[in-house]
Amino acid sequence: MKNLIVGQSGGPTSVINASLAGVYYQAKKIGYNKVYGMLNGIEGLLQDKIIDLDEYFTNKDNLELLKRTPSSFLGSCRYKLGTIKDNEKDYKKVFEILDKHSIDSLIYIGGNDSMDTVASLHDYAVLNNKKQNFIGVPKTIDNDLPITDHCPGFGSACKYIATTLREIIQDNMVYGDTKKTVAIVEIMGRHAGWLTASAALAKDETCPGVDAIYLPEGTFDIEEFVKDVENLLKKKSNIVIAVSEGIRTEDRKFVCELLDANLKTDSFGHKELVGCAEALGKILRDRLGIKARPITLSTLQRAASHLVSKTDYNEAYHCGMKGSELAYKNKSGYMVIMNRISTNPYKIKYESYNDIHKIANIEKKVPNEWIDTKNNYVTQDLINYIKPLIQGEVKQIMKDGLPQHITKKEN
Ligand code: F6P
């Protein structure tokens, strides 16, 4: 009888729980006995904080609720295991706990940093002849994992962003030529501009779209930005601009550091970015004397389960299922990937990649050829790449006019 444990790590998405549901459902179906969940990822596992997922999910209705619940049901962490040489204590502890519960397989659902954890545990197991195997299931709204065509969580965040931008664009036009207004919308994605690029999807025959898009891949020039806005305002009175939270000036400082030079750093060395739209709004107000409103989409863009993309939701579920299949076959150091067979009609294949070291800690950026030469918009190819990922809607389970979610019991 085999047992499996699953964890969630890093920033959540609106469909990361669909992957958890996929892991659980398939693991039980193919013959795992116990399917445990670690609370708060590897950080909780180190303290033996685990739950038996049967307690919740033998009930099919709960599994449906889980698929529609945003954030990470099991809780998350940003915990770096460190190298085996420098931190053997943590590794020994993890394996002690896995042995104690007779766990054979571990699946970690996460982004680049989480894949670093999978790679390190896999390496330790190989070096020390441990029986356990380790599998990564991708998730990240940032869409910056290499090798896979895209990542679960990204499509739904794009759908929310493009939808919300359409609403913001309508609102921002309200005073027309009587007042010049600029809305600056800050979008997550840290060092990769995939998510910010989805702002381009707002445009169609019913919506004029955003007027400029600034990705973190290039250098952000504040003088050029002010000039861009001035020029746009010569042509129209109301403009909307999408900016990545991670845009940096020539000296590699984040624009948000103009507001706060002492940003906190997480255990992977990432600065906690916030305040870019606010900083730019202040610059425009001071320099151009216009109304400039900063809008930070923040948590909303990754928690909007009422607006998930059905395509993304289904893919997240299937990636979870594939993770359990790989684990059951005793694969280790693998990550589930999606391979795009065609864009029109959209077709993908669920596959696996057998060397997680080539994925861990590596950020896939938006390629130059998909960024406009002036670095203030994206190309049609990038729009075509994202479009299939936002298709379809998922019916929420509603009660008293509000969506229902599932929350784990206090432990
Ligand atoms: O890792 C995904 C992500 O959502 C990034 O886009 C964002 O910069 C970061 O997480 C925010 O993380 P946290 O919620 O831990 O501050």
Side-chain angles (χ1 to χ4, degrees):
M1 285 279 211
K2 283 166 92 136
N3 300 322
L4 177 145
I5 191 163
V6 53
Q8 296 168 304
S9 161
T13 78
S14 55
V15 296
I16 185 173
N17 286 332
S19 291
L20 176 62
V23 168
Y24 174 81
Y25 174 82
Q26 194 67 355
K28 292 303 271 192
K29 192 171 159 204
I30 53 183
Y32 275 103
N33 178 31
K34 289 280 177 203
V35 179
Y36 296 109
M38 60 181 97
L39 301 182
N40 298 102
I42 204 74
E43 198 170 351
L45 183 64
L46 281 165
Q47 297 160 45
D48 203 4
K49 290 191 178 161
I50 74 174
I51 56 172
D52 181 346
L53 293 183
D54 277 352
E55 269 181 48
Y56 296 88
F57 302 120
T58 44
N59 175 333
K60 284 211 173 75
D61 291 345
N62 279 353
L63 204 60
E64 285 306 309
L65 274 181
L66 176 69
K67 287 158 77 178
R68 291 164 174 80
T69 299
S71 185
S72 302
F73 174 78
L74 297 170
S76 190
C77 69
R78 290 202 185 271
Y79 187 89
K80 190 168 171 67
L81 270 178
T83 62
I84 297 173
K85 192 166 134 276
D86 295 338
N87 202 13
E88 208 170 354
K89 194 169 79 352
D90 266 6
Y91 290 87
K92 281 197 167 142
K93 184 88 196 159
V94 168
F95 282 86
E96 208 180 284
I97 291 166
L98 296 179
D99 286 338
K100 177 177 150 195
H101 299 284
S102 307
I103 291 168
D104 306 277
S105 309
L106 184 151
I107 295 183
Y108 216 33
I109 312 171
N112 334 66
D113 300 337
S114 315
M115 295 310 139
D116 174 69
T117 302
V118 178
S120 304
L121 289 171
H122 164 74
D123 289 347
Y124 186 87
V126 171
L127 280 172
N128 295 279
N129 268 324
K130 299 285 181 189
K131 62 165 189 178
Q132 285 88 356
N133 62 325
F134 300 88
I135 297 293
V137 169
K139 80 76 223 182
T140 171
I141 60 165
D142 297 357
N143 198 41
D144 59 352
L145 286 169
I147 300 174
T148 183
D149 174 75
H150 58 280
C151 305
F154 172 61
S156 295
C158 292
K159 189 178 181 91
Y160 175 83
I161 287 165
T163 305
T164 303
L165 276 164
R166 284 197 174 170
E167 294 163 352
I168 291 171
I169 290 163
Q170 288 293 342
D171 185 282
N172 186 57
M173 288 190 292
V174 73
Y175 299 117
D177 290 339
T178 66
K179 191 174 191 170
K180 292 205 182 296
T181 56
V182 181
I184 305 150
V185 183
E186 176 180 321
I187 296 169
M188 279 182 170
R190 202 180 271 149
H191 307 139
W194 299 102
L195 201 53
T196 307
S198 71
L201 273 71
K203 185 173 180 176
D204 76 348
E205 57 291 349
T206 68
C207 173
V210 297
D211 299 284
I213 301 176
Y214 297 95
L215 308 188
E217 276 77 4
T219 293
F220 186 79
D221 184 322
I222 291 177
E223 292 311 314
E224 284 297 318
F225 167 70
V226 175
K227 256 194 245 156
D228 284 352
V229 173
E230 269 182 317
N231 287 333
L232 284 166
L233 286 173
K234 279 180 199 155
K235 293 183 216 138
K236 58 199 279 206
S237 299
N238 316 116
I239 66 172
V240 176
I241 291 169
V243 292
S244 162
E245 62 176 0
I247 50 173
R248 298 189 223 203
T249 48
E250 183 126 46
D251 55 5
R252 307 317 290 150
K253 284 227 156 58
F254 289 105
V255 167
C256 57
E257 288 180 277
L258 292 171
L259 273 193
D260 178 357
N262 301 307
L263 296 175
K264 286 212 189 96
T265 305
D266 72 15
S267 77
F268 288 89
H270 306 305
K271 288 194 172 161
E272 293 177 0
L273 307 175
V274 65
C276 166
E278 233 179 282
L280 294 177
K282 178 155 172 42
I283 290 172
L284 293 183
R285 286 191 299 276
D286 290 350
R287 301 270 296 268
L288 306 180
I290 47 160
K291 182 173 170 72
R293 169 170 284 156
I295 300 171
T296 305
L297 296 185
S298 185
T299 310
L300 306 174
Q301 64 205 294
R302 65 182 195 197
S305 62
H306 62 288
L307 202 60
V308 300
S309 137
K310 190 170 188 180
T311 303
D312 187 32
Y313 169 92
N314 286 335
E315 289 179 352
Y317 186 66
H318 281 97
C319 282
M321 287 170 64
K322 177 85 183 174
S324 290
E325 285 157 20
L326 292 170
Y328 201 70
K329 287 182 190 150
N330 273 331
K331 303 290 182 201
S332 190
Y334 281 49
M335 188 184 86
V336 175
I337 59 166
M338 287 185 278
N339 184 3
R340 192 182 296 218
I341 307 299
S342 75
T343 289
N344 197 7
Y346 176 64
K347 251 194 188 154
I348 61 138
K349 253 184 153 174
Y350 300 96
E351 296 177 351
S352 61
Y353 188 73
N354 66 2
D355 187 0
I356 203 149
H357 301 92
K358 301 219 168 78
I359 297 175
N361 298 314
I362 297 167
E363 293 170 320
K364 180 175 78 181
K365 305 281 176 71
V366 176
N368 270 342
E369 60 271 23
W370 282 1
I371 305 174
D372 185 274
T373 43
K374 281 189 71 202
N375 199 25
N376 62 8
Y377 214 82
V378 298
T379 67
Q380 188 58 42
D381 284 344
L382 182 41
I383 296 171
N384 296 345
Y385 161 81
I386 300 176
K387 238 183 202 160
L389 314 182
I390 68 163
Q391 302 303 315
E393 289 74 45
V394 174
K395 205 164 180 293
Q396 292 298 297
I397 299 166
M398 305 293 284
K399 190 175 160 205
D400 290 337
L402 291 172
Q404 298 287 286
H405 299 144
I406 184 166
T407 311
K408 69 180 178 312
K409 302 167 211 153
E410 282 304 316
N411 49 296

